[in-house]
Amino acid sequence: MDLKPTTAGAEKDGIPPEKPTPVGQQMLDKGAQMLQSFKPINHMSQHACTFALYSHDMSRQIKAHHFVTRLNQDFLQSAVYDSDDSNGRLIGMYVYFSFRIIEFVERVEYIVSDTIFETLPPEEQKLWHSHAYEVNFFSFNLNQEPFLIYGFLIVVVFVFQIKSGLWIHPRMPETIVMPELKNLAKTYGKFWCTWQTDRGVFQLAISLIKRMFFISLQQEQAAEDGVVNLQIARERDESYNLSREDLMRSRIEIPEPEWINPTADYWRQHKKGFKIDVESTEMRTSFS
Amino acid sequence: MESVNASTRPDVPGEKTKLGTSLVDSAASAIQSFGPTKKIHQHLCAFHFYADDMTRQVEAHHFCGHQNEEMRQCLIYDRPDADARLIGVEYIVTEELFLTLPDSEKPMWHSHEYEVKSGVLFLPGVPGPVERTDLEKVAKTYGKTIHFWQVDRGDELPLGLPQVMMALTRDGQLNPTLAKERENRAYMQGLTHGIHPKANAGGDGLKTVLREIDCKPSGHPSLEPIPRVFV
């Protein structure tokens, strides 16, 4: 099978000004590698590939390679890279957890919201009130922020990502990953992107921390095709020698959540995305 | 070294991994390739504190890979075990590269000189002389760290906004047992141009703020709201 890297990312000028790793450093790296243990890294057990887009600009879509670690049946965490070759750039972190955890989170909800609410700036607090319903409903996921709605969004996303064949486990036979796909179809997720490699320049930029949400798909095939950038999807599928039609057919039996909260479509109705800004503030310190 | 996170480490909620699921995991780890994570070659341990609260310090286990000589990228875990929680990422760049960044970007980066020379930062399992060969380089770098999971306040799940993190820059919090190694590292050269005044948040604090902004659509009509039918 052709294993060539699937994204142009690594070869793009996006990479920091070039100076290859010299032999001395390589020896040093090898030495450390032999002496040290890498348990958390060795524990990564799955590679999945899908697409993500920026919540504030849906025209920017990127390929996301997840290297997944399972902490227990209900919780997975992954490091997200822009490519699956050894030059892949670390672009963020993703966590997913199953519907079951919701019960747990409902119990801790106020603790989280109480403490955090106090720390929100006034304009955030306004936002909070205006979305009180959602907050009360599921403030755990994107938690203290009123945007839990996005938790739902991502539920939708996961199911349809999987059913539409956008989410793949490269090189894994479909029959083997089927149980896992069924698990994942029932998870919520949260993704923070730390490096906007699609901008093509080496800029670990200011507002570079952006929440991204996975491409949301309507149940109708036509709508789905409209949202995802078919060009990047086709390239990906070709590089892994996959047919998305086949994947969709094999995944048709994966059960969908019995009920999806209507607020899941919040972003469609309000056309609002989210970004993170970094502001100057006073440092709290007990040492001075 | 006593793990500072141990006392505050809550369990991640959820059921024990089922046998069927772990079989999928083992199959996948045998068949799939893990290009970017195979390149991780170094385990580095240090402390980070929140850019707006120096009193909240977190033990951070960095697992780093070189992108090239100018830059490393690291995954940050709360401890070095198989079930460690992925709490953040750090990018490490050389001084030269740092100086090319826009001024607005610089405050989010922290210098490593003090961390290295004070002995706070170390490579577990690597003998001193070997360790110092690499740390000589680290002392001349800047890092940008973002944590997603506030384990120090006992969060069972990664909640809230990402946090910009900083590193130690002066005496006052140093563990006295590290004093010996500090002498060993006294010879190291720090940053050629000295610590940039804008780095380390320019001496202030930094906090992250969430903004709701207009969503730019992908330009396809299918992004218009479509009524959903529940069955």
Side-chain angles (χ1 to χ4, degrees), chain A residues 53-61 150 198-199 210 213 226-227 267-268 270-275, chain B residues 212-220 223-224:
Chain A
L53 48 78
Y54 290 87
S55 75
H56 71 296
D57 183 355
M58 288 179 277
S59 63
R60 288 173 60 189
Q61 307 192 351
Y150 282 81
D198 66 317
R199 295 208 299 203
K210 296 224 165 94
F213 52 80
V227 177
W267 66 274
R268 286 175 186 275
H270 299 256
K271 298 241 184 352
K272 292 288 184 190
F274 301 101
K275 64 181 274 229
Chain B
E212 184 173 350
I213 53 173
D214 286 337
C215 198
K216 187 177 160 199
S218 68
H220 192 279
L223 281 172
E224 294 305 314

Side-chain angles (χ1 to χ4, degrees), chain A residues 25 36 46-47 58 73-74 90 124 143-144 147 170-171 194 204 271-273 275 277 279 284, chain B residues 15 18 25 32-33 43 54 73 91 105 124 137 144 160 205 207 209-211 213-216:
Chain A
Q25 184 66 48
Q36 299 194 299
Q46 292 180 32
H47 166 209
M58 288 179 277
Q73 183 67 27
D74 295 316
L90 176 60
E124 283 307 318
N143 82 79
Q144 49 274 33
F147 314 122
R171 299 183 261 282
T194 52
L204 302 168
K271 298 241 184 352
K272 292 288 184 190
K275 64 181 274 229
D277 285 338
E279 286 185 353
R284 185 174 161 226
Chain B
E15 249 180 54
K18 290 179 186 153
D25 283 341
Q32 298 191 298
S33 72
H43 171 202
M54 192 185 281
Q73 55 188 10
Y91 302 98
E105 172 69 19
K137 294 196 174 120
K144 176 177 191 170
K207 61 177 178 184
V209 185
L210 189 72
R211 299 242 185 273
I213 53 173
D214 286 337
C215 198
K216 187 177 160 199

